[in-house]
């Protein structure tokens, strides 16, 4: 926690990450050592390697803060309110361990009401383990899923693809 304390005090920081209206001061060496995205940015001859301020796009400010804290502490708290933005941010920054932890978190919370949305989200992030878990859940709970609000918003093609699966359990 000593490096984290130094960062929180703004001491020796050599880069500011700007996310929306938020600015996070950090140390390039810590970010490069722990986050693949920054390792590539800072160790290759990219313009950002020397810039004091780096504007980050496609990442939520609260997720960025949590992932910077993870870089310093090796810990991250996953909750139902932050799991999706955290998983998106971890995917963007190539933090596989955090992304997989988020996938595991979502996997244990699949319900007939959210499984279709979670499966779509997992597909968009290229997270095969969560897609597989969602598909298995769908097969076992198809009747309940078919009565959900999410199911009612599906298009004809999507319903056709679901119903065409041979493994469906329909009681």
């Amino acid at each position: 926690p000593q490096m984290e304390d130094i960062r929180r005090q703004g001491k020796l920081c050599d880069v500011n990450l700007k996310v929306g209206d938020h600015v996070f001061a950090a140390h390039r060496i810590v970010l490069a050592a722990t986050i693949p995205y920054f390792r590539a940015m800072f160790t290759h001859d990219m313009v950002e390697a020397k810039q004091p301020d780096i504007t980050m796009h496609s990442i939520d400010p609260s997720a960025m803060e949590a992932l910077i804290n993870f870089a310093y502490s090796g810990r991250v708290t996953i909750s139902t309110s932050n799991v999706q933005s955290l998983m998106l941010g971890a995917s963007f920054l190539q933090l596989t361990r955090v992304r997989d932890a988020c996938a595991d978190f979502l996997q244990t919370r699949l319900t007939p009401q959210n499984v279709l949305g979670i499966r779509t989200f997992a597909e968009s992030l290229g997270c095969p383990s969560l897609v597989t878990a969602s598909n298995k859940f769908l097969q076992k709970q198809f009747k309940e899923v078919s009565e959900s609000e999410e199911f009612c918003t599906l298009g004809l093609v999507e319903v056709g693809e679901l119903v065409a699966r041979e493994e469906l359990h329909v009681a």
Side-chain angles (χ1 to χ4, degrees), residues 42-112:
F42 297 148
T43 60
H44 297 89
D45 289 330
M46 292 176 73
V47 177
E48 294 90 345
K50 307 272 186 282
Q51 289 178 336
D53 300 325
I54 297 169
T55 302
M56 303 290 297
H57 302 286
S58 59
I59 192 162
D60 176 77
S62 61
M64 188 75 219
E65 184 173 22
L67 294 168
I68 291 171
N69 291 339
F70 173 78
Y72 283 82
S73 68
R75 290 187 313 274
V76 67
T77 303
I78 302 170
S79 68
T80 48
S81 60
N82 76 359
V83 64
Q84 285 190 303
S85 63
L86 207 53
M87 195 167 169
L88 277 167
S91 291
F92 178 74
L93 297 175
Q94 299 150 17
L95 276 170
T96 317
R97 252 178 55 210
V98 176
R99 190 199 69 178
D100 292 349
C102 290
D104 293 345
F105 180 91
L106 285 172
Q107 196 171 316
T108 62
R109 285 159 180 80
L110 290 172
T111 68

Side-chain angles (χ1 to χ4, degrees), residues 2 23 38 51 71 86 93 111-112 135 145 166:
Q2 201 159 19
V23 178
F38 290 114
Q51 289 178 336
L86 207 53
L93 297 175
T111 68
N135 284 336
V145 173
E166 292 172 21

Side-chain angles (χ1 to χ4, degrees), residues 9-169:
Q9 294 164 16
K11 302 262 166 78
L12 306 173
C13 293
D14 59 357
V15 67
N16 291 313
L17 302 176
K18 295 183 172 188
V19 186
D21 300 335
H22 300 75
V23 178
F24 304 102
H27 305 92
R28 288 176 204 275
I29 186 68
V30 174
L31 296 179
T34 53
I35 301 176
Y37 177 88
F38 290 114
R39 184 174 313 118
M41 181 185 283
F42 297 148
T43 60
H44 297 89
D45 289 330
M46 292 176 73
V47 177
E48 294 90 345
K50 307 272 186 282
Q51 289 178 336
D53 300 325
I54 297 169
T55 302
M56 303 290 297
H57 302 286
S58 59
I59 192 162
D60 176 77
S62 61
M64 188 75 219
E65 184 173 22
L67 294 168
I68 291 171
N69 291 339
F70 173 78
Y72 283 82
S73 68
R75 290 187 313 274
V76 67
T77 303
I78 302 170
S79 68
T80 48
S81 60
N82 76 359
V83 64
Q84 285 190 303
S85 63
L86 207 53
M87 195 167 169
L88 277 167
S91 291
F92 178 74
L93 297 175
Q94 299 150 17
L95 276 170
T96 317
R97 252 178 55 210
V98 176
R99 190 199 69 178
D100 292 349
C102 290
D104 293 345
F105 180 91
L106 285 172
Q107 196 171 316
T108 62
R109 285 159 180 80
L110 290 172
T111 68
Q113 289 70 40
N114 70 16
V115 65
L116 295 170
I118 287 176
R119 186 181 72 155
T120 303
F121 180 65
E123 283 173 342
S124 73
L125 290 182
C127 190
S129 63
L130 188 54
V131 171
T132 302
S134 300
N135 284 336
K136 283 185 180 161
F137 185 92
L138 255 169
Q139 291 160 13
K140 290 193 178 92
Q141 308 278 330
F142 185 74
K143 184 180 183 307
E144 292 82 356
V145 173
S146 71
E147 295 163 357
S148 74
E149 213 172 292
E150 273 188 346
F151 186 84
C152 294
T153 64
L154 289 179
L156 202 55
V157 175
E158 293 160 305
V159 171
E161 286 172 2
L162 282 177
V163 176
R165 293 167 179 260
E166 292 172 21
E167 314 89 6
L168 289 181
H169 296 260

